[in-house]
Amino acid sequence: MSTVKFLHKEVMYSSIDEIKASMILEPGDEFQIPLKNGQLATAVFGKYTKDGHRRFVFKDCIAEHVMNDEPTNEGGYFKSELRRYVLEELLPLLPDQLREALEPRVMCETVDGETQEYADALWIPSATDVFGDGKYWELEPDSEQLDIFKRERDRVKELGDKGTWYWWLRSPLRSSSTYFVYVYFSGNVYYYSANYSLGVAPGFDL
């Protein structure tokens, strides 16, 4: 049984298919996900995508990891250590029923001067997903700002017992060979060297 919260009331669903069939989700609605490592996570509905899928992002960080082992953003998120970690170590933690229902998100980025398009079932939000257009990152045609991130306070996330924490975005810093963009404690945008370990709050589409 899964729980989805609608504007301070709870609606009980017996399956992920029922959530996918619902057309009454609104930004900020939540449901809890029991991960296979014993952690209880919460997913927040961000928007309906142009192809009709339901886009969610984890309410808080479910892990902490480096973007790359070395201080480089070469290869973008597409070739990053964090992408491998999300797909190979975090994705298997999702309940089987949820994992089987995921709709891979098509993402587009410029990698080493070439446009790279790929699709992942679990992904890190882009800077555009969180902040909209900005001066620190290149245009991200696969993304637009989610309503749930339009206020600074709604971009703040926690990481277990560590409390409020910074968390990675998948966007390399423009005109840099070292940094990726991330969300600061306050909910503001900043950037950090790729070999630092920051919070991970993935997203997925249903």
Side-chain angles (χ1 to χ4, degrees):
M1 187 74 73
S2 300
T3 302
V4 181
K5 297 179 180 178
F6 290 109
L7 302 178
H8 308 298
K9 59 182 180 178
E10 293 188 351
V11 179
M12 303 302 293
Y13 284 99
S14 61
S15 71
I16 296 298
D17 288 338
E18 289 187 19
I19 296 175
K20 293 184 70 173
S22 173
M23 297 302 293
I24 59 175
L25 291 175
E26 295 187 11
D29 290 342
E30 304 176 352
F31 76 97
Q32 292 185 321
I33 302 172
L35 303 180
K36 291 183 178 179
N37 62 0
Q39 184 178 354
L40 185 62
T42 299
V44 182
F45 176 67
K47 64 173 291 186
Y48 286 98
T49 66
K50 293 178 181 178
D51 52 12
H53 297 152
R54 296 142 189 83
R55 181 153 294 166
F56 292 86
V57 177
F58 280 92
K59 186 174 184 177
D60 288 307
C61 301
I62 61 171
E64 184 179 23
H65 201 69
V66 298
M67 181 65 75
N68 282 314
D69 293 325
E70 301 296 330
T72 177
N73 61 25
E74 183 179 359
Y77 177 70
F78 177 63
K79 297 182 179 179
S80 70
E81 159 59 20
L82 183 55
R83 180 173 179 243
R84 181 211 63 78
Y85 175 75
V86 167
L87 294 176
E88 295 182 11
E89 299 189 40
L90 294 186
L91 180 58
L93 295 180
L94 300 184
D96 294 342
Q97 185 189 43
L98 174 59
R99 194 169 66 249
E100 292 169 2
L102 298 181
E103 300 284 353
R105 177 183 178 177
V106 177
M107 297 180 285
C108 181
E109 64 177 309
T110 301
V111 178
D112 302 331
E114 296 184 0
T115 299
Q116 181 70 51
E117 187 173 283
Y118 55 100
D120 289 348
L122 192 67
W123 36 263
I124 297 300
S126 69
T128 304
D129 286 337
V130 178
F131 294 102
D133 295 335
K135 64 182 180 180
Y136 291 131
W137 55 92
E138 300 291 347
L139 176 67
E140 296 171 317
D142 61 85
S143 306
E144 60 182 27
Q145 188 181 28
L146 304 181
D147 289 341
I148 57 173
F149 292 131
K150 289 187 174 179
R151 300 186 304 173
E152 290 179 2
R153 62 185 294 178
D154 296 329
R155 302 175 200 141
V156 175
K157 297 190 182 300
E158 296 189 352
L159 176 61
D161 295 337
K162 294 184 177 181
T164 305
W165 209 246
Y166 0 62
W167 52 288
W168 278 123
L169 302 176
R170 60 178 170 85
S171 307
L173 179 67
R174 176 184 289 162
S175 302
S176 166
S177 62
T178 304
Y179 300 104
F180 278 82
V181 178
Y182 76 96
V183 182
Y184 194 61
F185 286 114
S186 62
N188 289 321
V189 62
Y190 207 61
Y191 48 88
Y192 228 159
S193 180
N195 62 328
Y196 278 82
S197 185
L198 303 182
V200 182
F204 57 86
D205 289 352
L206 284 176

